[in-house]
Amino acid sequence: MKPIRILIADDEKEIRDLLITYLQRETYKVDAAADGEEALRLFELNRYSLVILDLMMPRIDGIEVCRRMRSTSNVPILMLTAKDQEMDKIIGLSIGADDYMTKPFSIHELVARIKAHMRRFYVLSSDRAAPEETRILFRNLQIDRKTYTATKAGEQIALTAKEFELLAFFASHPGQVFTKTQIFRQVWDSDYIEDDNTVMVHIRKLRMKIEDDASNPKMIQTVWGIGYKFVGDKDED
């Protein structure tokens, strides 16, 4: 298995150095950029397993960098934001960021989240999943865990890694109701949730991609006062 390579993009040298030190201890290969332009240059030259992206950077800001990266790749993107950038967090999630943490952050919590993403990367890169667990069929929706792909009526759906994991989680538990906290724990593999936006924005984006009418969802339904459930007629192979 190739070494896992991570890109850090942050204009604060202290944060870059801190992340490099801790991630290298975890045996990850790390590249670092001080601005958005450099981050995009490195991203074009190398293949990364995860990107840590600061929201506010010189030359090109994190939102635009995220948008450009997402247009060509489904690599997991974790954004770092300041506490007063609530709307920017939502925008970042809406354009394809998988996760975010607010500065100042716990380095141990950040490393834990990165490890959770990397565990999924390892599973995606391996052939260990049992054949009967790799594919889920619902009506005209097909979900393939082994290739991280989903199709609707034979057409591939453009999903980020986190959107796929959210869809696969829902489809693996049809009819079961989950709170936002439960969803976050299962899909983001962490007990640490800052607010509801991460889950809500990803569900909204996922609905726009898999539902015939996102304003009247039939598959991912809201259970008012509790959370969400996945509804569908599962096809049996």
Side-chain angles (χ1 to χ4, degrees):
M1 183 177 177
K2 293 181 179 180
I4 292 172
R5 193 166 191 164
I6 295 175
L7 174 62
I8 299 167
D10 197 301
D11 62 332
E12 296 183 55
K13 186 176 184 302
E14 290 183 358
I15 290 181
R16 292 199 307 273
D17 291 346
L18 177 68
L19 291 174
I20 289 170
T21 298
Y22 274 84
L23 293 177
Q24 286 181 340
R25 287 179 186 174
E26 301 293 335
T27 72
Y28 299 137
K29 185 174 178 59
V30 183
D31 294 333
D35 58 63
E37 189 174 286
E38 185 180 5
L40 288 171
R41 182 183 64 80
L42 287 171
F43 191 76
E44 290 177 359
L45 293 174
N46 303 290
R47 185 179 181 88
Y48 293 102
S49 303
L50 182 135
V51 176
I52 301 172
L53 190 61
D54 184 35
L55 191 66
M56 300 299 294
M57 289 189 295
R59 296 189 178 179
I60 304 175
D61 65 31
I63 289 178
E64 178 61 17
V65 172
C66 179
R67 187 189 67 77
R68 295 189 193 182
M69 289 180 175
R70 187 56 75 223
S71 69
T72 61
S73 172
N74 68 348
V75 62
I77 298 175
L78 191 156
M79 298 196 79
L80 303 177
T81 73
K83 285 186 177 297
D84 60 350
Q85 294 169 333
E86 188 66 28
M87 185 53 65
D88 288 335
K89 295 174 191 174
I90 296 173
I91 294 171
L93 292 170
S94 296
I95 62 172
D98 296 286
D99 201 357
Y100 71 83
M101 288 194 70
T102 299
K103 294 182 180 179
F105 55 83
S106 161
I107 185 64
H108 299 292
E109 172 60 29
L110 180 61
V111 170
R113 290 202 193 185
I114 291 169
K115 285 183 176 180
H117 284 292
M118 292 303 96
R119 283 194 293 271
R120 292 188 177 89
F121 173 81
Y122 176 71
V123 171
L124 176 61
S125 302
S126 72
D127 295 322
R128 298 183 304 167
E132 66 271 18
E133 297 177 347
T134 61
R135 195 171 57 149
I136 307 172
L137 301 176
F138 280 95
R139 300 177 184 172
N140 62 349
L141 189 67
Q142 179 171 305
I143 303 158
D144 193 324
R145 287 196 186 98
K146 188 173 181 180
T147 61
Y148 260 44
T149 58
T151 59
K152 180 179 179 181
E155 296 291 328
Q156 185 163 329
I157 308 168
L159 298 175
T160 67
K162 195 57 63 182
E163 288 167 354
F164 177 86
E165 289 161 10
L166 181 60
L167 175 59
F169 169 69
F170 273 130
S172 299
H173 303 86
Q176 188 170 343
V177 179
F178 294 96
T179 66
K180 297 182 185 74
T181 300
Q182 288 173 325
I183 294 168
F184 190 85
R185 286 173 179 166
Q186 293 295 321
V187 178
W188 278 260
D189 199 12
S190 173
D191 289 330
Y192 183 79
I193 181 169
E194 293 181 340
D195 55 44
D196 293 340
N197 285 328
T198 300
V199 174
M200 292 172 63
V201 171
H202 277 82
I203 287 176
R204 185 172 71 243
K205 292 284 290 183
L206 186 55
R207 281 171 167 168
M208 291 172 64
K209 295 180 178 182
I210 69 169
E211 299 280 1
D212 293 331
D213 179 3
S215 63
N216 184 29
K218 301 298 184 184
M219 285 185 279
I220 301 178
Q221 296 185 1
T222 300
V223 181
W224 296 108
I226 302 177
Y228 303 91
K229 68 177 179 178
F230 188 88
V231 178
D233 298 324
K234 189 171 183 179
D235 294 338
E236 300 294 339
D237 286 340

